[in-house]
């Protein structure tokens, strides 16, 4: 009866159609973007907790055990899994799956859980017991499981990968070299091979090592001086990664491009008092800016561009409250970066699928800058040799309290 058209018509007749609420419109045309606009996760969690409190003290209904069967469409097992998986996919902006795809995947998962997954989970728990018991690192094992050939191999875990200074050699393309650039064996002679030295700091560090900033009150200028005096590093540039933009390569493959904000050197803040009058012409304004002894030589083009913008819009530039200076503390800079990341997420600059690179600073004891986002530095050799670019730098831990 419950599968008949009459029964379905009766159920539909008793349904109450909810009021339509306009939602976000996807203007990017990306069908793989997932389930709509990103919402406030804290507010959503609070609402769910309030709903759960309504069930406090109420007993659970009687449950009937059911054996999973993917090939019986009348039991709604695959329907249930499809809807639950798509709800979770919507939370992380993952593309939804249809009924047939879920049925195909579910049919493979059950035997996998009963074999390889069960074996791996058991072996992982053995290593966890060693960790809880405080066993030395030599007691831990890395394991290989081959269920198909019934082989089980255990060996001592390898040490973490370390980073060291070195020299990268780059051989030019053969067609770009003269005939005398090759030796008798056809190889490129050493004098034609380009060599580029690079440094790792600290020497021999691993992914577990960190450079700890002494205090959250350290200013950007003091941080630069600290790197110079304590670590013999010259701070060159620092672009703080706020998140990632989405783009495509020539083949149409999705690519993740970092979206950053310049921290060091601090972006130029144009002093409106040093700009020529907007009544001046282009030539007169350029003469005044280029001939000014007050405006630093390296910033004169920025001042000229700022004047041109003000001339076009009729509005003089202002410093604003988001200007980064050398007197700004690293803690304040982090909170400013979080604010900028929130704004970039709201205006669509950052792709929601990958989220923000910085968030949730409130209440944290520290924030860690990943190794691939650390400031760009040069070494400061004490023997008078040439400075070397630091290609591999340990993570940077900045205290927040």
């Amino acid at each position: 009866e419950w599968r008949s058209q009459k029964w379905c018509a009766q159920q539909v007749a008793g349904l109450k159609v909810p009021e339509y609420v306009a939602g976000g419109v996807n203007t990017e045309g990306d069908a793989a973007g997932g389930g709509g606009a990103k919402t406030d996760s804290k507010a959503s969690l609070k609402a769910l907790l309030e709903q759960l409190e309504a069930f406090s003290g109420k007993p659970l209904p009687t449950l009937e055990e059911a054996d999973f069967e993917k090939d019986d469409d009348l039991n709604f097992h695959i329907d249930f899994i499809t809807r639950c998986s798509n709800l979770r996919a919507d939370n992380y902006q993952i593309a939804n799956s249809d009924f047939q795809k879920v049925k195909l995947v579910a049919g493979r998962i059950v035997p996998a859980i009963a074999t390889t997954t069960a074996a791996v989970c058991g072996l992982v728990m053995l290593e966890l017991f060693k960790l809880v018991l405080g066993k030395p690192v030599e007691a831990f094992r890395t394991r290989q499981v081959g269920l198909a050939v019934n082989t089980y191999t255990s060996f001592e875990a390898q040490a973490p990968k370390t980073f060291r200074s070195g020299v990268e050699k780059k051989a030019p393309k053969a067609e770009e070299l003269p005939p005398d650039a090759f030796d008798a064996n056809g190889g490129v002679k050493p004098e034609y091979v380009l060599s580029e030295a690079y440094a790792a700091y600290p020497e021999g560090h691993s992914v577990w090592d960190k450079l700890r900033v002494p205090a959250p009150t350290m200013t950007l200028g003091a941080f630069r001086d600290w790197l110079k005096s304590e670590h013999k590093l010259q701070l060159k540039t620092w672009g703080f990664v706020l998140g990632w933009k989405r783009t495509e390569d020539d083949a149409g493959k999705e690519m993740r491009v970092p979206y950053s904000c310049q921290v060091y050197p601090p972006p130029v803040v144009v002093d409106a008092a040093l700009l020529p009058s907007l009544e001046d012409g282009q030539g007169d304004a350029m003469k005044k800016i280029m001939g000014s002894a007050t405006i630093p030589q390296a910033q004169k083009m920025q001042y000229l561009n700022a004047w041109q913008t003000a001339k076009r819009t009729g509005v003089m530039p202002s410093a604003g409250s988001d200007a980064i200076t050398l007197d700004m503390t690293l803690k304040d800079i982090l909170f400013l970066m979080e604010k900028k990341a929130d704004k970039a997420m709201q205006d669509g600059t950052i792709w929601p699928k990958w989220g923000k690179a910085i968030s949730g600073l409130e209440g944290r004891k520290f924030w860690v800058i990943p190794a691939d986002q650390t400031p760009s530095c040069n070494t400061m050799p004490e023997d008078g040799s040439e400075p070397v670019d630091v290609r591999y730098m340990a993570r940077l831990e900045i205290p927040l309290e």
Side-chain angles (χ1 to χ4, degrees), residues 229 232 379-385:
S229 60
K232 300 298 183 290
T379 60
M380 299 176 61
E382 297 180 338
D383 58 1
S385 57

Side-chain angles (χ1 to χ4, degrees), residues 75-92:
N75 60 20
F76 297 106
H77 289 181
I78 298 298
D79 286 279
F80 175 77
I81 295 174
T82 301
R83 282 155 178 76
C84 286
S85 62
N86 286 339
L87 286 173
R88 181 168 177 81
D90 289 345
N91 290 337
Y92 300 96

Side-chain angles (χ1 to χ4, degrees), residues 17-25:
V17 180
E19 182 181 356
Y20 171 75
V21 178
V25 179

